[in-house]
Amino acid sequence: MSQSAGQPTISVVVVSRRRPEALRRALVGISQLRYPAFEVVVVADAAGLAAAKDLPFGDQLKTVEYETPNISAARNRGIAHAAGEVVAFLDDDAVPETGWLHHLAAPFAKPEVAAAGGYVRGRNGISFQWQAQSVDGTGEGLPLDLNGDEPVVLTPSNGRAIKTEGTNMAFRREVLAQMGGFDPAFQYYLDETDLNVRLAAAVHKTAMVPRAEVHHGYAENRQRTAERVPRDLSEIGASKAVFLRKHCPEGQRAAVWKAFWQGQRRRLVHHMVAGNIMPGDVRRLMRGLQEGYAEGLTRSFGQMPELTRASEGFAPLDVPKGPQVLICGRYWRRKAMLSEARQAAKEGKLPSVFIFSRTGLFHSVRFDPDGFWLQSGGLFGRSDRRQSLFRIQGFGARLRQEFQRVAAQRLLSKTLLPKRLRAKQHAQR
């Protein structure tokens, strides 16, 4: 490790296609990461690269133009230009918490750790979209029962691999190079799962890191709408066929495919009942799924590229960062607080905004493209969806509670809280 305290240099690879605004937002979030030495490699189409280069720090990004709709091949292009000891991956419709790399990198201080994965929050910024899982040769995941917030180093066993999610994962670059990176046969789906299974076969250890969080938006693409309604299932079918050919015993494949097919049809029927698609769309999409599967049965796989060391060397992102700031208040001051947050972000500060109304509205968290985190909701409403539906609570107590919920992930110091709330927090310990 080249950094002090065992911190490796990191290359953050972001692949983007036809989503320049989402990419810009992701890169603004990445620029606020608190980590001593990381570079950013953007693999995108022309529109995405133009959006990236237009950012104030755009000239510091490593950029690779790539137009082909193949997530594995695009990620391999990113690895080829990555010079960090560790390569981390983030989707263009995701934003990392400020402490993402700080937490995700920590397990790599142990030389036996080859990979690490964090947790993913969904569109409301509160509920988890993805947590720890294992996966086997069918490609289906099972939850892992992990307790606490500390990293856990896991060894694959009993034919199961440790699953990492594509929008929040990291690998030692030397391991990726040895394994050939991602298999280009997986053009959209199961690419990281295939890599997880290959890592398990080589008995590499993976760390799950609960505090390494990203927020994932599921933005529109050619396979789905902005509301997550499927447009085309053919590539999902093709990737499933390739995955089963590579990893599932031949005698089990037909039953696994039938169960998968039925699950996809149930999903489409649910969308039809909800009014999102018509009955004809169900038939069309299922036909595409089956046709994709048939194509995947003939698709070549395992043709891995050579991933040599990046010739241009390590290019750390150097964006001056001011202090983290806390902006909080009642809903009626919303306009003034948002204006204050935008001004603070322009000055290089890292604002976290909490706006509460005297209601029972559920809370939501999002990263504003102007460069600040915003949580809003009712004083009496849920943030954690497991909380009671309605609770009487004062403003100070609620602010302290929500601040503590995100402080570790965002590397927020308790000194940001008003002094009177810090005193109460100390007295309750």
Side-chain angles (χ1 to χ4, degrees):
M1 300 295 181
S2 62
Q3 294 297 303
S4 61
Q7 294 175 305
T9 56
I10 299 180
S11 300
V12 179
V13 173
V14 185
V15 171
S16 182
R17 187 171 185 271
R18 296 183 180 177
R19 298 198 295 213
E21 290 306 312
L23 174 62
R24 184 187 184 282
R25 176 173 170 267
L27 292 173
V28 171
I30 290 170
S31 73
Q32 296 187 354
L33 290 171
R34 294 271 182 163
Y35 193 78
F38 70 95
E39 65 177 8
V40 182
V41 183
V42 180
V43 184
D45 56 9
L49 294 188
K53 292 175 181 177
D54 191 51
L55 289 164
F57 50 87
D59 60 344
Q60 298 185 47
L61 303 171
K62 287 184 176 180
T63 56
V64 183
E65 186 168 351
Y66 191 70
E67 299 281 350
T68 305
N70 185 317
I71 185 68
S72 294
R75 282 175 169 162
N76 288 338
R77 294 288 182 97
I79 298 168
H81 287 78
E85 296 162 278
V86 168
V87 184
F89 294 89
L90 185 82
D91 286 353
D92 63 354
D93 59 347
V95 179
E97 286 280 4
T98 313
W100 176 54
L101 287 185
H102 170 84
H103 295 297
L104 194 62
F108 289 102
K110 299 179 179 180
E112 68 271 22
V113 173
Y119 286 8
V120 181
R121 293 192 187 267
R123 282 186 171 182
N124 63 22
I126 301 286
S127 303
F128 280 112
Q129 189 181 94
W130 192 91
Q131 292 176 280
Q133 292 184 7
S134 67
V135 67
D136 62 10
T138 69
E140 300 302 317
L142 288 176
L144 288 170
D145 186 16
L146 302 184
N147 297 317
D149 295 324
E150 295 303 315
V152 179
V153 178
L154 301 167
T155 302
S157 62
N158 301 322
R160 301 198 67 83
I162 309 305
K163 179 79 172 71
T164 58
E165 190 69 357
T167 190
N168 185 358
M169 60 184 183
F171 307 89
R172 289 192 192 276
R173 193 194 184 283
E174 63 183 39
V175 173
L176 283 176
Q178 290 167 2
M179 303 189 71
F182 296 88
D183 188 338
F186 298 95
Q187 298 180 13
Y188 173 72
Y189 177 61
L190 291 173
D191 51 311
E192 73 273 25
T193 310
D194 169 69
L195 178 59
N196 295 150
V197 174
R198 289 188 282 129
L199 284 168
V203 201
H204 286 299
K205 294 186 178 182
T206 297
M208 295 311 305
V209 193
R211 284 178 173 155
E213 289 186 7
V214 304
H215 295 244
H216 186 215
Y218 267 125
E220 178 181 11
N221 62 24
R222 68 191 180 102
Q223 275 82 22
R224 64 172 183 256
T225 70
E227 289 73 36
R228 298 178 63 181
V229 179
R231 285 175 166 158
D232 181 7
L233 296 179
S234 59
E235 189 50 50
I236 288 178
S239 293
K240 189 70 174 182
V242 173
F243 190 90
L244 295 180
R245 289 167 62 204
K246 287 188 73 171
H247 304 298
C248 185
E250 187 173 0
Q252 299 177 20
R253 293 174 193 169
V256 172
W257 168 247
K258 182 179 179 180
F260 182 79
W261 187 95
Q262 291 172 337
Q264 292 297 311
R265 191 177 188 282
R266 284 194 297 271
R267 180 164 73 109
L268 294 180
V269 170
H270 174 79
H271 279 297
M272 183 185 70
V273 172
N276 298 324
I277 56 177
M278 301 296 289
D281 294 319
V282 176
R283 291 190 292 271
R284 173 182 59 82
L285 289 164
M286 290 304 297
R287 185 168 59 250
L289 180 72
Q290 192 66 50
E291 291 172 352
Y293 185 77
E295 189 272 321
L297 292 177
T298 65
R299 183 179 291 182
S300 298
F301 60 80
Q303 299 174 356
M304 316 301 285
E306 182 181 1
L307 298 173
T308 58
R309 179 66 63 179
S311 60
E312 62 266 51
F314 189 71
L317 187 67
D318 184 17
V319 177
K321 297 180 183 67
Q324 303 225 52
V325 294
L326 180 66
I327 300 170
C328 53
R330 310 278 186 172
Y331 186 83
W332 62 269
R333 291 192 58 245
R334 177 184 178 88
K335 186 174 180 180
M337 287 187 288
L338 294 180
S339 178
E340 182 183 353
R342 291 189 180 96
Q343 182 58 40
K346 284 181 181 179
E347 296 170 358
K349 298 174 184 176
L350 309 180
S352 290
V353 184
F354 295 86
I355 301 177
F356 303 144
S357 60
R358 290 187 62 81
T359 68
L361 289 174
F362 284 13
H363 285 228
S364 65
V365 177
R366 67 180 179 87
F367 183 78
D368 190 279
D370 287 334
F372 59 90
W373 287 98
L374 170 63
Q375 177 170 340
S376 60
L379 275 178
F380 320 123
R382 289 177 178 172
S383 52
D384 186 328
R385 297 317 194 232
R386 297 167 297 181
Q387 292 170 341
S388 59
L389 189 59
F390 187 88
R391 296 174 303 149
I392 300 298
Q393 201 165 24
F395 183 90
R398 190 60 192 263
L399 175 61
R400 185 171 63 249
Q401 173 188 310
E402 298 305 326
F403 179 91
Q404 291 172 341
R405 191 180 61 79
V406 302
Q409 300 93 309
R410 210 168 293 172
L411 303 182
L412 297 174
S413 168
K414 64 181 181 181
T415 59
L416 293 174
L417 282 170
K419 188 175 181 180
R420 61 184 178 82
L421 296 184
R422 297 202 305 270
K424 287 185 179 181
Q425 182 180 15
H426 179 75
Q428 289 174 353
R429 290 183 176 178

